[in-house]
């Protein structure tokens, strides 16, 4: 599992955390999206990407992410704005246990492209095992 620890700049006013592409995350950032206001017992994700690289940061509250590379499954609890989880291509992800106040921010190295999604777990396993 690849976690990044971001440096937070704190002073008597509070904290500020800056993330720069190719410096703090290992790619140029082309897209940012966030998931928030998630309803109880929701499970999101349930897909992999053919090419996309992402870093997920729980900037408020908490959630759990399951990462599955086709042979190993890992569960990661995210609950800090200072921690980024790198999610590489061809990794199946499921996101759950969202706290009511969870804001999950995701940085991505490419624009949104539905064709890059693998939404069937069987297809994912085939592609992951071809690697
Ligand atoms: P979806 O991929 O289903 O979310 P998740 O896999 O996290 O549960 O995305 C929900 C909707 O938002 C879907 O219609 C696609 C759209 N979407 C965009 O338009 N741009 C984006 O960057 C993302 C991530 C999703």
């Amino acid at each position: 599992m690849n976690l990044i620890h971001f440096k937070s700049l704190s002073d008597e006013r509070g904290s500020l955390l800056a993330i720069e592409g190719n410096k703090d995350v290992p790619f140029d950032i082309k897209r940012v999206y966030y998931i928030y206001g998630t309803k109880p017992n929701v499970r999101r994700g349930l897909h992999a990407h053919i090419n996309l690289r992402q870093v997920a940061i729980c900037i408020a509250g908490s959630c759990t992410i399951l990462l599955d590379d086709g042979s190993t499954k890992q569960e990661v609890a995210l609950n800090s704005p200072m921690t980024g989880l790198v999610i590489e291509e061809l990794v199946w992800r499921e996101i759950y246990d969202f706290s009511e106040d969870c804001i999950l921010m995701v940085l991505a190295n490419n624009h949104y492209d539905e064709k890059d999604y693998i939404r069937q777990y069987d297809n994912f396993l085939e592609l992951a095992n071809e690697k």
Side-chain angles (χ1 to χ4, degrees):
M1 177 205 329
N2 193 351
L3 290 175
I4 303 175
H5 186 76
F6 302 115
K7 207 165 172 194
S8 178
L9 303 166
S10 299
D11 58 29
E12 64 287 351
R13 297 170 298 174
S15 301
L16 182 153
L17 194 154
I19 299 172
E20 298 195 12
N22 274 324
K23 278 183 163 178
D24 305 295
V25 294
F27 50 75
D28 257 338
I29 300 164
K30 273 210 186 164
R31 174 165 54 113
V32 178
Y33 64 91
Y34 33 93
I35 292 169
Y36 61 100
T38 307
K39 303 283 188 277
N41 302 315
V42 163
R43 211 169 174 96
R44 296 198 69 129
L46 299 138
H47 66 257
H49 286 280
I50 299 167
N51 270 315
L52 194 68
R53 304 180 73 199
Q54 299 184 294
V55 172
I57 307 152
C58 194
I59 56 174
S62 60
C63 64
T64 302
I65 304 189
L66 172 82
L67 297 181
D68 174 357
D69 67 4
S71 53
T72 308
K73 292 183 186 181
Q74 286 180 306
E75 240 188 6
V76 189
L78 289 182
N79 55 19
S80 164
M82 296 168 65
T83 304
L85 174 66
V86 182
I87 308 176
E88 298 288 1
E89 57 204 16
L90 283 184
V91 173
W92 185 265
R93 86 287 318 268
E94 299 186 10
I95 316 167
Y96 43 93
D97 287 349
F98 290 91
S99 63
E100 212 179 304
D101 59 346
C102 178
I103 303 175
L104 182 67
M105 182 173 77
V106 183
L107 314 175
N109 76 336
N110 224 331
H111 295 145
Y112 173 72
D113 176 9
E114 183 57 37
K115 294 191 295 298
D116 190 67
Y117 278 71
I118 308 163
R119 293 199 183 271
Q120 300 295 327
Y121 189 70
D122 288 353
N123 294 353
F124 158 71
L125 277 185
E126 267 175 41
L127 286 168
N129 292 325
E130 270 171 21
K131 248 201 317 187

